[in-house]
Amino acid sequence: MACAWEESTKIRDVLIRPGTENDCNTIMDLIRELASFQGYPYAPQITAEILRRDGFGDNQQASFQTLLAVDRTTDKIIGYAVFFPFYSTWRGKGMFLEDLYVKPAHRKLGIGKLLLAHVSKRTLDSGGCQLRLSVLKTNPAKMFYSSLGFDNLTVDDGWETGRLDTNALEHLLESSGLTRS
Amino acid sequence: MACAWEESTKIRDVLIRPGTENDCNTIMDLIRELASFQGYPYAPQITAEILRRDGFGDNQQASFQTLLAVDRTTDKIIGYAVFFPFYSTWRGKGMFLEDLYVKPAHRKLGIGKLLLAHVSKRTLDSGGCQLRLSVLKTNPAKMFYSSLGFDNLTVDDGWETGRLDTNALEHLLESSGLTRS
């Protein structure tokens, strides 16, 4: 019980707020930390500037939303979530959670769960009925998601996800007689 | 060669155009056909009215885009694609292909590839660098996607996808002291 009390005290020192364009350098650092944690340190090919343009630019619809966990005592950003609307022709509106990350020194305090609760609120408030996410099968976070009721569509139903890269898309256009605008 | 010529002639009789709100009943029929083809006849829980509201309503940003394959000789819709913007913190903007379907009588003519080429054009024109999609491991369409350069992130890298359902989201809010707006 002392432990539970301690956790809730520490959570009270954490502020969850939307990211702004001024946070993009820090968010980009955290994106790289998360990629390294997953074993892909060189995977992020975007920059803070691209993040700023795509998520916070004035002249277009933002491509994603961000929520940050901030340590009130130091004003440091210690975790983040990136998510965007998703649509299912079986169930309708939902949200896709692209990233969820808490820095190692601040784990096991419930900060990830709190961030995810705020993402869940955004999902439900926007009329969504599900939050989708992808996780590496080797990522310890799988246990965290499972404990919250995550249905694994890959393992349970056999859904596999992949991509057609720029080269494949361009080849497809060319072989179909289409040109880019 | 005669066969290839015949195919290109038949493709010339196919028009690819965006769906409108007047097409929603037909699109909903095709969504149900695709679900049945995949072995989940009762999976679609949405209606043509929900599709109309989410994709074509005036008062909000559309949740998805549609492209339809129309047989010019009969003016019948014989295939469709549903897709929406996706964001990767590793690669930036992309598109997610939710559905791609061609009615059985019109397969093997290149109509699916033509629909996908038009989706690829939308992806590249919007600044995207990848098209993501999920496919059941038992779906014969996997061979079609593979032939076009589909990288299977589930099999190759171990990514698993799943969801937190409405119940899980509501439980998470409640246990975190948050309420829906």
Side-chain angles (χ1 to χ4, degrees):
Chain A
M1 290 303 288
C3 180
W5 178 83
E6 188 182 45
E7 283 189 14
S8 73
T9 305
K10 285 184 178 164
I11 282 287
R12 248 182 275 146
D13 293 334
V14 174
L15 169 75
I16 305 293
R17 66 161 173 86
T20 72
E21 55 186 314
N22 296 327
D23 299 312
C24 285
N25 290 342
T26 307
I27 296 171
M28 198 63 231
D29 288 343
L30 293 173
I31 287 170
R32 292 193 193 99
E33 268 192 48
L34 172 55
S36 294
F37 174 75
Q38 293 174 108
Y40 291 86
Y42 303 111
Q45 294 168 19
I46 67 168
T47 61
E49 196 43 58
I50 290 174
L51 209 60
R52 201 171 281 120
R53 180 197 69 192
D54 292 348
F56 304 94
D58 287 337
N59 299 323
Q60 61 184 48
Q61 188 73 12
S63 295
F64 57 85
Q65 298 175 57
T66 54
L67 282 172
L68 307 180
V70 181
D71 184 332
R72 288 181 194 270
T73 57
T74 62
D75 209 32
K76 288 246 161 67
I77 296 167
I78 55 176
Y80 80 107
V82 168
F83 52 101
F84 49 82
F86 172 91
Y87 201 79
S88 160
T89 50
W90 288 3
R91 293 169 170 237
K93 285 189 187 185
M95 206 71 92
F96 189 91
L97 180 68
E98 169 70 2
D99 283 356
L100 181 73
Y101 183 69
V102 174
K103 287 176 82 72
H106 302 271
R107 288 183 197 158
K108 307 287 181 194
L109 301 172
I111 298 170
K113 189 179 167 191
L114 187 63
L115 268 169
L116 196 57
H118 280 265
V119 175
S120 300
K121 178 172 161 54
R122 302 270 176 134
T123 305
L124 294 169
D125 285 349
S126 66
C129 68
Q130 64 173 307
L131 181 69
R132 286 221 181 175
L133 63 101
S134 289
V135 61
L136 281 168
K137 65 181 173 188
T138 53
N139 190 335
K142 269 182 72 175
M143 281 161 56
F144 165 69
Y145 294 125
S146 293
S147 74
L148 299 175
F150 177 77
D151 295 320
N152 192 319
L153 302 176
T154 301
V155 171
D156 298 346
D157 298 330
W159 287 100
E160 295 176 349
T161 301
R163 66 174 169 233
L164 293 166
D165 249 318
T166 304
N167 285 347
L169 298 179
E170 285 176 345
H171 183 74
L172 192 49
L173 247 71
E174 200 179 332
S175 70
S176 303
L178 299 178
T179 51
R180 294 174 66 160
S181 294
Chain B
M1 293 303 286
C3 179
W5 178 83
E6 187 182 47
E7 282 188 16
S8 74
T9 306
K10 284 184 179 163
I11 281 287
R12 247 182 277 148
D13 292 334
V14 174
L15 169 75
I16 305 292
R17 67 161 173 85
T20 72
E21 55 187 314
N22 294 328
D23 299 312
C24 284
N25 289 344
T26 307
I27 297 170
M28 198 62 233
D29 288 344
L30 293 173
I31 287 171
R32 291 193 193 100
E33 267 191 49
L34 172 55
S36 293
F37 174 75
Q38 293 174 108
Y40 291 86
Y42 303 112
Q45 294 167 20
I46 66 167
T47 61
E49 195 44 58
I50 289 174
L51 209 60
R52 201 170 282 119
R53 180 197 69 193
D54 293 345
F56 304 95
D58 287 334
N59 299 323
Q60 62 184 50
Q61 188 73 12
S63 295
F64 57 85
Q65 298 176 58
T66 55
L67 282 171
L68 308 180
V70 180
D71 184 334
R72 289 180 194 270
T73 56
T74 62
D75 209 32
K76 287 246 160 68
I77 295 168
I78 55 177
Y80 81 107
V82 168
F83 51 102
F84 49 81
F86 172 89
Y87 201 79
S88 160
T89 51
W90 287 4
R91 293 169 169 238
K93 284 188 186 186
M95 206 70 91
F96 189 92
L97 180 67
E98 170 69 2
D99 284 356
L100 181 73
Y101 183 70
V102 174
K103 287 175 82 74
H106 302 270
R107 289 184 196 159
K108 307 285 179 196
L109 301 172
I111 297 169
K113 190 179 168 190
L114 186 63
L115 268 170
L116 196 58
H118 280 265
V119 175
S120 300
K121 178 172 159 54
R122 301 271 175 134
T123 305
L124 294 168
D125 285 349
S126 65
C129 67
Q130 64 172 307
L131 181 69
R132 287 222 179 174
L133 63 99
S134 289
V135 61
L136 280 169
K137 65 181 174 188
T138 53
N139 190 337
K142 269 182 72 173
M143 283 161 57
F144 165 69
Y145 293 123
S146 293
S147 73
L148 299 175
F150 177 77
D151 295 320
N152 192 319
L153 303 177
T154 300
V155 170
D156 299 346
D157 298 330
W159 287 100
E160 297 177 347
T161 301
R163 68 175 168 232
L164 293 166
D165 249 319
T166 304
N167 285 348
L169 298 179
E170 285 177 344
H171 183 73
L172 192 49
L173 248 71
E174 201 179 334
S175 71
S176 301
L178 299 177
T179 51
R180 295 174 66 160
S181 295

